[in-house]
Each structure stands twice: as structure tokens, then as C-alpha cells.
Amino acid sequence: MWLAAAVPSLARRLLLLGPPPPPLLLLLSRSSRRRRRLHSLGLAAMPEKRPFERLPAEVSPINYSLCLKPDLLDFTFEGKLEAAAQVRQATNQIVMNCADIDIITASYAPEGDEEIHATGFNYQNEDEKVTLSFPSTLQTGTGTLKIDFVGELNDKMKGFYRSRYTTPAGEVRYAAVTQFEATDARRAFPCWDEPAIKATFDISLVVPKDRVALSNMNVIDRKPYPDDENLVEVKFARTPVMSTYLVAFVVGEYDFVETRSKDGVCVRVYTPVGKAEQGKFALEVAAKTLPFYKDYFNVPYPLPKIDLIAIADFAAGAMENWGLVTYRETALLIDPKNSCSSSRQWVALVVGHELAHQWFGNLVTMEWWTHLWLNEGFASWIEYLCVDHCFPEYDIWTQFVSADYTRAQELDALDNSHPIEVSVGHPSEVDEIFDAISYSKGASVIRMLHDYIGDKDFKKGMNMYLTKFQQKNAATEDLWESLESASGKPIAAVMNTWTKQMGFPLIYVEAEQVEDDRVLKLSQKKFCASGPYGGEDCPQWMVPITISTSEDPNQAKLKILMDKPEMSVVLKNVKPDQWVKLNLGTVGFYRTQYSSAMLESLLPGIRDLSLPPVDRLGLQNDLFSLARAGIISTVEVLKVMEAFVNEPNYTVWSDLSCNLGILSTLLSHTDFYEEIQEFVKDVFSPIGERLGWDPKPGEGHLDALLRGLVLGKLGKAGHKATLEEARRRFKEHVEGKQILSADLRSPVYLTVLKHGDGATLDIMLKLHKQADMQEEKNRIERVLGATLSPELIQKVLTFALSEEVRPQDTVSVIGGVAGGSKHGRKAAWKFIKDNWEELHNRYQGGFLISRLIKPRHLTQCVFTKSQPFPPPLFLLSSFYFFLNPFILC
């Protein structure tokens, strides 16, 4: 067998290794040494939450009439706001949100009465508020608030900011774009910048006549600007009632492609000039997605148009502004000849995610940021449902388990994770919860809930929720109430155990054959990455559990709700030679530990592939995680891997690859690093030989993904034949004799860099400079850290902060270095310390800083200018994170 020789060899040596050194202790076993080490690093404790008060309710907006005039040369803008407002309680002041804006004049005119000019503007910069004081009391009733103001088109990728791009002629120019979520509309205009304070918007933009101007709604008027013949004033239709964070406007140079959905909605994809062709794939996805959601929710899309636009400088992956969705170029543009299969899949998922928000988030909006997880978790789940509808060949639900489910479990098993639902006060706290718990765990528990309720009742409950709260705000409990009403099941009671406490359970199961029946004994305890839970009061979950057998591996033989620490269940008519598996489809958000006999009985189902791919994936992922926590032996896990001898599934291989990568990283601190590389070569060689380098007739999307994964793994491990072929193909690619297919570029680039020299790096940097497509630039940026020479690693890190790399992509380069090698991690850590001030200034107040520094074992660390340096243990070294899962808003 292809693993039979490799597994015992490495296993014996691991057994002879004796007590693991500290790096292994951190992940492979529970140890008081680990806790002492963390304590000795001198982490700053999370300070008490800053005092915060939401805006007073005395005055609220009904409609904003807003006109903005951006200057694309001086990077400033002028603004005029006329807000129809309701004074609910007599007052002599109006408190609004305002940040980085200078108010010139302000006045309030009660309906049918004289204008009252404000006599003072008191800025509370720390709270991002301004108090407008008036010389007389504003009486209850409606009126008009007028404010003239100026601001800066900043370079921080938040608020109303400038985005740098290069024209086809090579000239550097700037667009004016927006990113308001969570709390940055206040940087574009004074407003009541809270999600529950909704209003309508009438937006006008004064822009150069040769520029495209876009906003949430369709254009209703475009006319010359009287004060300057080079400018035009563009007016947009009134929006529905909406939150400020969903407002958007863009001014720049763009081409577009368009179509209409089958429901008659105008769909456009805006691209950089000359790249309209690259918008066609996203256009196709969007045109299919809108009708899918309309049918699923049984609620029509409420706007006349939807625009999707690629922004050059963009911190998030995408943003769901109502009617004008903004994206990174790599999350929207697909070159038919030069985009790889994973990029197509990524674009489909991101488009699906953002368009889901048009209903779930925009039509019905969270009452406060505490409920952000519901917005993002739901969209992160239903994007897969949508892509599965549009592209069933992607086998996307199996990929969900690897990309979201297991990623969430990895973080949520840490001692200092946090509940899905986090109480948020001060705006500075909001960005802290844009993380994998909100997105990926949120999506995973929604998936579990959908399975528990059933699709029919879930859709019924969703329609009730959206209909009841449309154009309003809602809390998590409101959704539970609708789903409970539709299904008749105790939704709130079940889900509160998953959203209001951190972590998830480990279900231990053992079986006994009693005549023709199988009796299962189940027990639950909190799963901890640091080892078996030892606390006195163990949290409990209400766990929907499905049980399948080899009689029909794709159907649940029994479904139960485990609502106690221990229970027994009887499976009728299960023969002694049949296997039994918990968690059909790896849907329940828990890990399973089987008795030795039950685990042994599952191995034939892995070998003969009768166990479905998603269940094979879940089984091995549980085993690796139990081993890293020191609950079972790592040696036993490696032995189980022998059963994967016939594995054909891309996603199963992808997860195996990630788990072996973690083990490889741990062993890089020992004398056994070369041996684990030989083990990797033994594991991946047979599948590599079967796939070869070139696509075969009849192959599809998943075959392309698998080939890239396997060749990259073999090349990185130094597999001789793979390395030689990669060098040959790279040479022909550089010389222009035979251009590499997009799916082979990442593995080839990675291989030649890992085993190359300074000349190889120089060639890669030249390819980066010549690349016209951002996807290709990012592809190169993410593999540069594979180089091993200390001198070349430093060159890559310096490159990360150069103008050649877009600000949002710097973190990918540094992360690639940190994940590339043991020396790379140390060098990246030193580089961050040496350049902390520049990095802090570049990313402060945004979530990109958390992509650069990520607590791996404690989440409550504080990084400020006065306490800038977390310990090196917390440097983000997960190279996988940068391969696609950028945070989506």
C-alpha cells in the first residue's frame, strides 16, 4: 500500500521522540507549560470597554438630501446636506455622528417657521460625534436641518476615500469611492450613523463630465454644473428607507457589461476601462442569483437596478451597499484565459454572499452591531446554497466544511474564543467582531439549524421574518421567533446554546451490539484545543444529532436532539458487520470521538469510498484535531490515513493537506522535519502520478483544483520529478514559448521559489510588475514568502511595503512569509516590530490590522501605539487564510 511503508516509519520515530518540545506542546498536548509560557509573554489584558452612549432620540432623520462635490486632484470634497428631520422632544441641540469633517454652517428650519442658525459646533472626536447648539429651543415637529461642510478624500480605505488606478495609457489617476460599514458614513457627511436610524436618501454628485458617477439608485437627471463647464451634476432616484452604512457612491472611469434578470432587474458589472470582458462571469452569476433569492425568500428584489463594481483599493473582499455592491478586483473580475478555477469559484461565492445581503441585511437590518453575526453568518451560509444552485459541479457543500466549518472550529476551540453574539458598545469595538466566529461559525450553525428544521419550514420562516420586518430593524430573537412559528420546534432554546456561549461540544460515542440492535452511549463535553476540558461547570449544548449506517450512508437512520450531558439511543436492525457514524454530512457543529472499535469499523467505508466525501473529510479532521489537543495519539491518526489510499475527492485532499501542513510546521522545530517531507511525498505521489500535469478529456472544475493542490504540495516538499518539471515549464513560461495555464501557475511559482535563488525571485518580481491583471499580481504576492534565503526573505518583506503592492495586499505578502518557513516567521515578526508605526498608521481603525496580527491562543490582546507588540506566538502564519477567504462585509 502506498502509505503502508510511510506511516509505520514516521509513527515509530514519533513514538521514540519522547516528550515533545515546546512548539509541539502548544498544539499536540495539553500542558501547564503552555499556560505558563503564555503568561510569561506579558500580554496586555483587554481593558474595560470604553464608555459609550448611542445617539439621543430627541431628533431623528426622515430623509437626507445630500450633494457632494469631490475634487480628484486635491483629494477634498464639499458637501451640502438638507435633512428632513423629526424633533420628538423639545431641545436646543442636535447630536449627530461626524468624523474628519469640518462643518462650515448649520441651521434648522421648523416647518412653516423661520430658520434658526446653530451658534456652536462641539466636536467629540473620540466618540465621533458633533453637537450642534442652537440659540433657542427646537420644538417638537418636523423641519429641515441644513449643513454645509468639507472633508478629505482619505487614503485609509474607509469613509469617502480615494482609490489609485492606472489608465490603459499608463497614467496614474484616482477614483472617489466609499466604504461605510461599520461606522464610516460619518466621514462622508454628518449623519445619524446607527443601523436602526433609517431614512430615505436623495443623492446628487457633482463630478467631472468625463467620469462615471454611481450611487445606490438609478440616475434620474444629469445636467451641466452652472459654476464649471467641466463638471456635471448627477441626480439619483430616492432610495427606500435604509441605514447609513449601506449608502454608497463612486466617481471614476469604468466600462460595464449589462443584462436583465428574468425578473426584469437591470444588472451591470463595472470594470476598469478596457476590461469589460472580465465582468461577464460575475454578470452571469448575478443574473442567476437575483431570481434564486427572490424565489427562495418569496420576496422580490426591491430596487430597479443592481450594480457590481470592481474597486482598485479596497480593504474588504466586498461590501453589500444596496443597489451598488463594491468589490476588490479579484473578487469580481474573471479573465477567460488567465483566471484559475479557484478564482471563478471565489467570485461566484462572493457575488452570492453580497446579493443575499440585499434582502438579509439591507431590506431587514440588524438593530445594532451585536447582531452582526446574523447578517454575516446567514450570508456566509446561503452563498453556498446559491452557488450549489448555479454550479452543482463545484461540490460546494463539501468545500464549505473545509473552508468554513473546520476553520471556525479551529478558532472556537481556543480557550479565549468568544460567543457568536457579542455585545457591542463603542464603534471601535465593531471591527473586532468581523472574524471567523461571526462569519464561519455563524454560517455553520445556520446550516445546522436549516438541517434541523428542514428546508420547507426554513423557507417559510424566512419569508415570515422578511415580510414582517422589511424596511425595519430586527434582532436575532426575531428570526428565532419566525422560524419557531414556522417549524413548531424549540428554535430559541436550541440556538441560544450555540450563539450566547463560546465553544462547541465533543461527543464521545461507544457502541454495544444487543441482538439485532446497536445501542449507542453518547456523552458531551466542551472541546478544547488545549486538551480535555477540566472545568467544574461544563457548558452544555442542545445538539441536533444525525446517525447513519453502512446500510444507507447517505440517509439518517435516526435524528435526535441531545439536550443532556449523557444519553443512550437504540438503533433498530443494525447488523454486527455494519458501521455506524454520527453527524451525517458533517452538519452538526461538534467533534466526534469514537471508541476504538467503532473507529476501526469505519475504515472500510473510507477505503471503498462508500462513506460520502464530506463524511470522510469530517472524520479525518476530527481525528487530527483530537490529536493536536492531546486527546488521542498522533501516531494513530497517521495510521488511519492509510485508509485514504483510494481517495479521489479534491476537498478531502485539501483538508488532509492542511492538517499535514500543520504537523509539518510543528515538526520544523525538531530533527524530524525532513522525515515529514518524505512522508508528504509518499502520501501525494500516487495521486500526483494519476493526475499528471495536463488536463485530460472529460475533466472538470474539481480536477483542476486537485491537480494544483497536489502538484503544489509535491513541489514544496521537494519531490524530484515535480521540481524538474516545474522548472522546465516555468522557464518556457518566462521565455514566452509555452504560457502556463492559470491553474498551474500557483503550484509552479511556489515550487520554483521554494527551491530557487535570487535570480528566480527577480524573475518573479519582474512578472509581477508586468502583470496587467490583479489576480496574477496577487497570485505572485502570495507565494513570494516560499523563498528560504534570509537575504531574499528580507527583500520580499521590503517589497511588501513598496508602492508595487496595493495597501490591502501587503498583509498577504507578510502572511506568506510568516507561513513559508521557520526563519520566515521570525523574520516577519521582526519586520512587523521594526515597521509597526507605518503599519499601524496604514491600517488603524480597520480590520486589515487583525489580518496581520492574529492571536492564535488568546483573542483578548490589545495592540496600540503604547502597547504595540504582541508576542511572536501571535503572528499570523496561516498561509491558507490569504488564498481566498478575505473578510466579506
Side-chain angles (χ1 to χ4, degrees):
M1 306 286 281
W2 58 272
L3 278 174
V7 171
S9 172
L10 182 60
R12 282 196 299 271
R13 298 208 62 187
L14 283 171
L15 284 170
L16 294 172
L17 190 60
L24 281 171
L25 277 174
L26 286 175
L27 287 176
L28 286 181
S29 67
R30 187 176 188 209
S31 170
S32 60
R33 264 187 285 176
R34 172 175 146 185
R35 298 183 183 278
R36 290 198 299 271
R37 181 184 177 198
L38 291 172
H39 184 266
S40 70
L41 289 169
L43 292 178
M46 177 64 82
E48 293 183 11
K49 290 192 172 187
R50 292 169 61 179
F52 173 72
E53 291 184 3
R54 288 166 68 166
L55 292 171
E58 286 92 342
V59 183
S60 59
I62 301 169
N63 168 266
Y64 293 86
S65 180
L66 175 66
C67 181
L68 292 171
K69 180 186 171 189
D71 187 323
L72 300 177
L73 297 177
D74 292 336
F75 307 135
T76 59
F77 62 88
E78 301 172 9
K80 289 183 179 293
L81 172 67
E82 291 189 14
Q86 175 84 42
V87 178
R88 301 178 184 279
Q89 183 178 330
T91 180
N92 63 354
Q93 61 183 27
I94 296 177
V95 182
M96 307 172 72
N97 291 114
C98 181
D100 303 330
I101 282 175
D102 291 324
I103 295 175
I104 309 301
T105 63
S107 66
Y108 179 79
E111 188 173 345
D113 208 339
E114 293 185 3
E115 191 172 24
I116 306 170
H117 290 275
T119 54
F121 316 135
N122 180 22
Y123 297 96
Q124 296 102 56
N125 292 334
E126 196 166 298
D127 290 331
E128 299 181 344
K129 295 176 182 177
V130 63
T131 300
L132 309 179
S133 299
F134 295 88
S136 58
T137 300
L138 311 181
Q139 300 300 327
T140 57
T142 59
T144 302
L145 175 66
K146 296 181 180 181
I147 302 177
D148 290 352
F149 58 95
V150 294
E152 177 192 9
L153 289 173
N154 69 72
D155 60 354
K156 306 297 182 185
M157 293 184 287
K158 62 182 181 179
F160 197 15
Y161 71 93
R162 61 186 186 264
S163 173
R164 183 176 181 267
Y165 64 97
T166 304
T167 68
E171 181 184 351
V172 173
R173 292 181 183 170
Y174 290 85
V177 302
T178 57
Q179 170 59 39
F180 289 164
E181 190 178 24
T183 57
D184 290 312
R186 63 194 65 177
R187 298 179 195 281
F189 58 101
C191 57
W192 289 264
D193 200 11
E194 296 183 0
I197 307 180
K198 290 188 169 186
T200 57
F201 290 81
D202 294 309
I203 292 173
S204 298
L205 297 173
V206 178
V207 303
K209 62 184 181 182
D210 61 347
R211 296 296 193 267
V212 172
L214 301 171
S215 189
N216 303 84
M217 296 296 288
N218 50 297
V219 175
I220 57 172
D221 190 26
R222 182 183 176 99
K223 61 185 179 183
Y225 186 63
D227 296 340
D228 190 333
E229 64 179 11
N230 294 314
L231 302 178
V232 292
E233 182 175 1
V234 183
K235 287 189 175 183
F236 301 89
R238 176 169 292 188
T239 71
V241 174
M242 61 187 287
S243 302
T244 49
Y245 81 90
L246 296 169
V247 174
F249 19 89
V250 174
V251 180
E253 297 174 283
Y254 300 95
D255 287 341
F256 69 87
V257 288
E258 73 174 320
T259 189
R260 285 194 177 270
S261 72
K262 72 177 186 180
D263 300 316
V265 178
C266 179
V267 184
R268 286 183 175 181
V269 174
Y270 285 84
T271 74
V273 173
K275 297 185 178 181
E277 182 80 8
Q278 296 181 22
K280 288 185 176 179
F281 178 76
L283 185 72
E284 174 193 343
V285 175
K288 290 180 180 178
T289 297
L290 284 176
F292 171 78
Y293 287 142
K294 180 253 186 184
D295 292 341
Y296 193 86
F297 298 131
N298 196 22
V299 175
Y301 175 71
L303 305 187
K305 63 92 173 178
I306 182 80
D307 296 330
L308 295 74
I309 185 167
I311 304 297
D313 292 320
F314 199 73
M319 175 61 208
E320 69 265 22
N321 317 296
W322 215 357
L324 176 57
V325 186
T326 45
Y327 296 79
R328 283 191 183 198
E329 291 184 4
T330 51
L332 189 68
L333 305 182
I334 291 295
D335 185 316
K337 295 181 179 178
N338 295 300
S339 288
C340 60
S341 299
S342 62
S343 291
R344 292 174 183 273
Q345 179 177 296
W346 178 238
V347 167
L349 284 168
V350 180
V351 170
H353 181 107
E354 303 306 332
L355 295 193
H357 276 311
Q358 306 302 303
W359 284 263
F360 205 93
N362 299 5
L363 183 64
V364 178
T365 310
M366 63 208 158
E367 194 279 333
W368 186 245
W369 299 107
T370 296
H371 307 285
L372 171 75
W373 85 268
L374 194 57
N375 258 23
E376 300 303 344
F378 183 87
S380 296
W381 166 74
I382 205 168
E383 69 184 64
Y384 283 86
L385 195 70
C386 174
V387 170
D388 188 51
H389 166 77
C390 295
F391 303 98
E393 69 273 18
Y394 285 6
D395 185 28
I396 202 68
W397 280 118
T398 304
Q399 295 193 58
F400 173 90
V401 174
S402 180
D404 282 270
Y405 174 99
T406 59
R407 179 166 163 248
Q409 286 191 333
E410 177 190 345
L411 292 176
D412 203 30
L414 302 178
D415 292 342
N416 285 68
S417 179
H418 65 78
I420 288 178
E421 191 171 305
V422 177
S423 178
V424 173
H426 195 279
S428 64
E429 298 167 14
V430 177
D431 284 334
E432 297 171 16
I433 57 172
F434 280 95
D435 65 3
I437 300 299
S438 293
Y439 284 75
S440 296
K441 184 181 179 182
S444 297
V445 299
I446 292 290
R447 175 172 172 252
M448 178 174 66
L449 175 63
H450 172 266
D451 185 72
Y452 173 59
I453 294 176
D455 189 61
K456 181 180 177 181
D457 286 343
F458 189 86
K459 289 165 72 172
K460 180 181 176 184
M462 288 305 308
N463 174 259
M464 292 169 60
Y465 172 79
L466 290 171
T467 302
K468 181 177 180 179
F469 293 100
Q470 61 182 319
Q471 298 195 5
K472 299 175 185 175
N473 297 82
T476 302
E477 292 74 21
D478 296 314
L479 178 60
W480 297 163
E481 184 179 321
S482 295
L483 292 173
E484 198 161 300
S485 177
S487 67
K489 293 185 176 181
I491 304 304
V494 171
M495 294 306 292
N496 285 343
T497 68
W498 295 96
T499 64
K500 295 185 182 298
Q501 63 182 359
M502 72 180 195
F504 57 92
L506 169 65
I507 306 296
Y508 178 76
V509 55
E510 54 186 4
E512 180 184 359
Q513 188 74 27
V514 179
E515 297 180 348
D516 293 333
D517 303 333
R518 193 76 57 88
V519 179
L520 304 183
K521 293 182 179 179
L522 311 176
S523 61
Q524 64 162 298
K525 274 198 171 182
K526 185 178 188 291
F527 177 76
C528 299
S530 53
Y533 183 81
E536 293 182 3
D537 299 319
C538 187
Q540 296 294 311
W541 288 263
M542 295 179 72
V543 191
I545 288 179
T546 52
I547 304 171
S548 60
T549 71
S550 51
E551 182 182 15
D552 189 348
N554 293 295
Q555 292 293 325
K557 188 174 182 69
L558 183 67
K559 291 185 177 183
I560 59 171
L561 183 65
M562 186 177 183
D563 56 1
K564 57 188 73 172
E566 297 179 353
M567 66 187 305
S568 294
V569 296
V570 178
L571 296 179
K572 295 289 186 180
N573 301 316
V574 177
K575 297 175 183 177
D577 61 345
Q578 291 180 335
W579 53 253
V580 172
K581 183 185 179 296
L582 266 63
N583 205 4
L584 173 66
T586 317
V587 172
F589 197 73
Y590 57 89
R591 293 204 182 278
T592 306
Q593 181 183 358
Y594 294 96
S595 66
S596 297
M598 288 189 74
L599 180 60
E600 188 71 26
S601 72
L602 285 165
L603 299 186
I606 299 174
R607 291 191 187 97
D608 65 17
L609 307 180
S610 61
L611 198 63
V614 69
D615 290 294
R616 300 197 298 270
L617 188 159
L619 183 63
Q620 66 86 21
N621 192 277
D622 281 348
L623 289 170
F624 269 102
S625 295
L626 289 166
R628 289 202 299 273
I631 296 172
I632 64 174
S633 164
T634 306
V635 174
E636 293 306 308
V637 179
L638 294 176
K639 288 180 179 178
V640 170
M641 284 187 63
E642 185 273 331
F644 288 85
V645 60
N646 300 314
E647 183 57 56
N649 185 274
Y650 157 71
T651 312
V652 177
W653 273 111
S654 176
D655 205 64
L656 280 167
S657 173
C658 287
N659 285 313
L660 285 172
I662 292 171
L663 186 60
S664 179
T665 298
L666 295 170
L667 291 175
S668 69
H669 296 269
T670 73
D671 295 334
F672 298 90
Y673 181 70
E674 293 304 321
E675 193 153 352
I676 189 66
Q677 298 311 304
E678 291 302 315
F679 177 69
V680 168
K681 285 185 272 188
D682 286 338
V683 168
F684 283 87
S685 291
I687 184 70
E689 289 172 7
R690 289 205 298 270
L691 287 167
W693 280 82
D694 299 307
K696 300 176 180 63
E699 285 189 350
H701 174 78
L702 294 172
D703 299 295
L705 295 179
L706 180 57
R707 179 174 289 106
L709 171 75
V710 171
L711 292 177
K713 200 72 176 177
L714 286 169
K716 189 175 181 182
H719 183 256
K720 185 178 179 182
T722 304
L723 177 56
E724 290 175 352
E725 182 64 8
R727 283 173 169 163
R728 184 188 72 78
R729 291 183 179 238
F730 182 70
K731 184 173 183 293
E732 290 190 346
H733 176 72
V734 172
E735 293 172 351
K737 294 179 180 178
Q738 183 67 48
I739 300 301
L740 282 166
S741 70
D743 287 315
L744 288 180
R745 289 182 196 176
S746 284
V748 167
Y749 292 167
L750 177 70
T751 300
V752 297
L753 273 168
K754 177 81 172 179
H755 306 283
D757 54 16
T760 309
L761 178 60
D762 287 341
I763 293 171
M764 290 301 303
L765 294 177
K766 184 179 179 181
L767 289 176
H768 180 277
K769 191 175 186 68
Q770 293 172 345
D772 180 53
M773 190 173 67
Q774 195 61 32
E775 178 188 326
E776 176 72 356
K777 287 183 181 290
N778 286 174
R779 186 157 38 226
I780 293 169
E781 289 163 359
R782 291 168 186 162
V783 300
L784 291 176
T787 190
L788 295 177
S789 160
E791 181 183 344
L792 298 182
I793 286 173
Q794 196 58 45
K795 185 174 181 178
V796 171
L797 289 169
T798 301
F799 172 75
L801 280 179
S802 71
E803 288 194 358
E804 295 292 323
V805 178
R806 290 199 175 277
Q808 71 264 25
D809 297 322
T810 294
V811 293
S812 301
V813 182
I814 298 175
V817 171
S821 65
K822 181 171 65 174
H823 179 78
R825 282 189 289 281
K826 294 178 180 177
W829 169 236
K830 183 177 185 302
F831 182 80
I832 286 177
K833 289 192 292 183
D834 291 345
N835 294 276
W836 180 256
E837 187 168 352
E838 180 176 349
L839 291 166
H840 185 273
N841 289 337
R842 179 183 288 196
Y843 300 125
Q844 60 180 314
F847 44 71
L848 274 175
I849 193 72
S850 70
R851 303 295 160 255
L852 187 60
I853 303 290
K854 192 74 171 177
R856 302 299 289 169
H857 294 279
L858 290 175
T859 58
Q860 295 184 339
C861 296
V862 183
F863 313 134
T864 64
K865 284 190 175 181
S866 59
Q867 176 72 31
F869 304 131
L873 178 64
F874 300 101
L875 181 64
L876 180 61
S877 61
S878 175
F879 184 61
Y880 162 77
F881 183 85
F882 296 100
L883 294 183
N884 261 344
F886 290 104
I887 287 295
L888 307 174
C889 290

